[in-house]
């Protein structure tokens, strides 16, 4: 009856499709699927700063699962199918659009610097920005003109992406506000999901404290990757606090950092 047993593919024998700074993509169990593996690596300033932080991948996998599942549930399409284990999730294979889509509610980071705004200033309205995903060029900011002229996305796709970004921002802002956290800004990615001849734009990649700025409403404490970028320490504690408030981690539970690890 051996044929009834699920086929076991050791992690290091799966076909690796892509390795990024914080994640690895493997071939999925069925055509059109991939496995997204969250590593413990933290990078900033275009990978000039790099550290391995035990347990970060486990937390981001759980937090991103929670956010993507809720987005799916309210009808915002994403690539997420389900979480597989501590560090991995099953996703739909999409054609990634080479843009980082940043939505901002409050001035911080590069916007505060570029326009000389004080960090923490509420913006007159939410602002969407596009950056061209290209490490060699340091992800330069681009306009809709560049995006359409160079064919990275069509005008219709840009409209779809902006509509998605606004829905994601509204949902996340409300969700985090409910647990005493201010969503200052976040980065999302979008992909083309093909279903036969039909294509739609879906939210892809991850949404986690690595890609959001999350400030505690009362203390203004940073509960995101700025703890790493700005050498503030306590990154795992901050990410765990986000997970706890979302009800992913129990009150006195700590993340088990010693889950399955990436076999290099
Ligand atoms: N961000 C990201 N990946 C990047 C650049 C930015 O996830 O490669 C996120 C970042 O965490 C923040 C938002 O996008 O939540 C806006 O980042 P900003 O442009 O202020 O750049 P930074 O100050 O992070 O360099």
């Amino acid at each position: 009856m051996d044929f009834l047993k699920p086929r076991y593919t050791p992690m290091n024998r799966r076909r690796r499709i892509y390795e990024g700074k914080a994640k690895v993509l493997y071939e999925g169990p069925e055509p059109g699927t991939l496995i997204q593996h969250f590593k413990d690596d933290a990078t900033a300033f275009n990978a000039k700063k790099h550290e391995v932080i035990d347990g970060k991948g486990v937390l981001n996998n759980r937090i991103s699962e929670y956010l993507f599942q809720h987005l799916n549930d309210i009808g915002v399409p994403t690539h997420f199918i389900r979480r597989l284990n501590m560090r991995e999730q099953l996703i739909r294979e999409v054609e990634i659009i080479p843009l980082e889509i940043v939505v901002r509610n409050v001035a911080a980071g590069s916007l505060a610097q570029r326009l000389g705004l004080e960090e923490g200033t509420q913006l007159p309205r939410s602002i969407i920005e596009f950056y061209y995903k290209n490490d060699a060029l340091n992800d330069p900011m681009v306009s809709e003109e560049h995006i359409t002229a160079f064919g990275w996305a069509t005008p219709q796709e840009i409209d779809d992406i902006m509509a998605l970004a606004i829905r994601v921002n509204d949902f996340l802002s409300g969700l985090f506000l409910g647990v005493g956290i201010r969503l200052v800004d976040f980065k999302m990615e979008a992909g083309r999901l093909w279903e036969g001849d039909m294509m739609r734009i879906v939210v892809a990649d991850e949404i986690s404290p690595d890609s959001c700025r999350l400030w505690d409403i009362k203390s203004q404490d940073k509960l995101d990757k700025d703890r790493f970028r700005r050498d503030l320490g306590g990154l795992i504690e901050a990410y765990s606090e986000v997970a706890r408030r979302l009800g992913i981690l129990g009150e006195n539970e700590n993340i088990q950092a010693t889950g399955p690890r990436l076999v290099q």
Side-chain angles (χ1 to χ4, degrees):
M1 299 291 271
D2 255 7
F3 65 92
L4 285 180
K5 289 197 188 133
R7 204 145 42 94
Y8 174 70
T9 316
M11 257 197 350
N12 51 356
R13 256 196 273 143
R14 269 197 231 130
R15 200 156 71 88
R16 190 187 310 207
I17 308 280
Y18 172 82
E19 175 146 13
K21 289 170 234 164
K23 292 189 295 291
V24 188
L25 292 179
Y26 294 100
E27 188 174 55
E30 288 156 42
T33 65
L34 295 175
I35 292 171
Q36 179 164 257
H37 178 111
F38 289 75
K39 300 193 283 185
D40 281 337
D41 298 64
T43 62
F45 314 117
N46 201 5
K48 283 197 268 295
K49 183 175 163 122
H50 177 224
E51 237 173 81
V52 175
I53 304 178
D54 259 13
K56 182 175 80 77
V58 175
L59 282 159
N60 281 349
N61 185 27
R62 296 294 299 270
I63 295 171
S64 199
E65 169 201 13
Y66 181 91
L67 300 175
F68 274 83
Q69 186 57 57
H70 277 75
L71 288 169
N72 284 344
D73 291 346
I74 62 164
V76 177
T78 80
H79 72 165
F80 179 80
I81 303 173
R82 65 189 157 85
R83 184 167 64 84
L84 296 171
N85 56 49
M86 300 247 291
R87 287 181 184 276
E88 295 176 329
Q89 42 185 249
L90 185 65
I91 59 170
R92 281 183 212 291
E93 186 170 20
V94 300
E95 221 176 274
I96 289 287
I97 292 168
L99 298 173
E100 301 207 330
I101 301 130
V102 169
V103 184
R104 304 179 181 272
N105 302 304
V106 176
S110 69
L111 178 78
Q113 273 197 341
R114 201 176 337 116
L115 300 186
L117 300 168
E118 193 184 341
E119 278 215 321
T121 312
Q122 186 76 35
L123 298 172
R125 62 174 174 81
S126 303
I127 295 173
I128 303 179
E129 296 172 344
F130 299 106
Y131 294 83
Y132 178 46
K133 263 168 76 82
N134 185 318
D135 283 341
L137 299 176
N138 243 326
D139 296 346
M141 185 155 86
V142 291
S143 72
E144 295 181 42
E145 279 285 286
H146 301 106
I147 297 169
T148 51
F150 293 114
W152 299 322
T154 65
Q156 177 62 54
E157 287 174 334
I158 297 178
D159 283 354
D160 293 351
I161 290 170
M162 290 179 78
L164 270 184
I166 290 166
R167 292 180 75 192
V168 173
N169 184 49
D170 286 349
F171 169 72
L172 291 182
S173 296
L175 178 82
F176 282 120
L177 185 61
V179 296
I181 292 173
R182 192 171 181 205
L183 178 65
V184 170
D185 56 34
F186 69 94
K187 184 264 301 186
M188 64 168 236
E189 296 193 22
R192 298 182 185 96
L193 177 63
W194 288 93
E195 285 163 329
D197 283 348
M198 294 281 290
M199 185 277 287
R200 55 190 177 129
I201 304 283
V202 304
V203 184
D205 194 50
E206 70 174 293
I207 303 178
S208 72
D210 265 10
S211 57
C212 300
R213 282 199 170 89
L214 303 168
W215 294 355
D216 181 77
I217 286 181
K218 280 204 202 117
S219 67
Q220 307 290 327
D221 278 353
K222 296 184 197 318
L223 302 173
D224 57 57
K225 198 166 139 187
D226 273 346
R227 301 215 71 87
F228 169 71
R229 291 190 194 97
R230 301 181 187 191
D231 293 318
L232 301 172
L235 180 133
I236 288 297
E237 291 75 6
Y239 286 29
S240 300
E241 179 62 20
V242 173
R244 239 174 252 125
R245 293 207 198 167
L246 294 174
I248 300 168
L249 261 190
E251 220 27 71
N252 296 311
E253 204 180 335
N254 282 313
I255 208 74
Q256 267 276 345
T258 48
R261 272 176 182 287
L262 183 64
V263 181
Q264 296 281 3

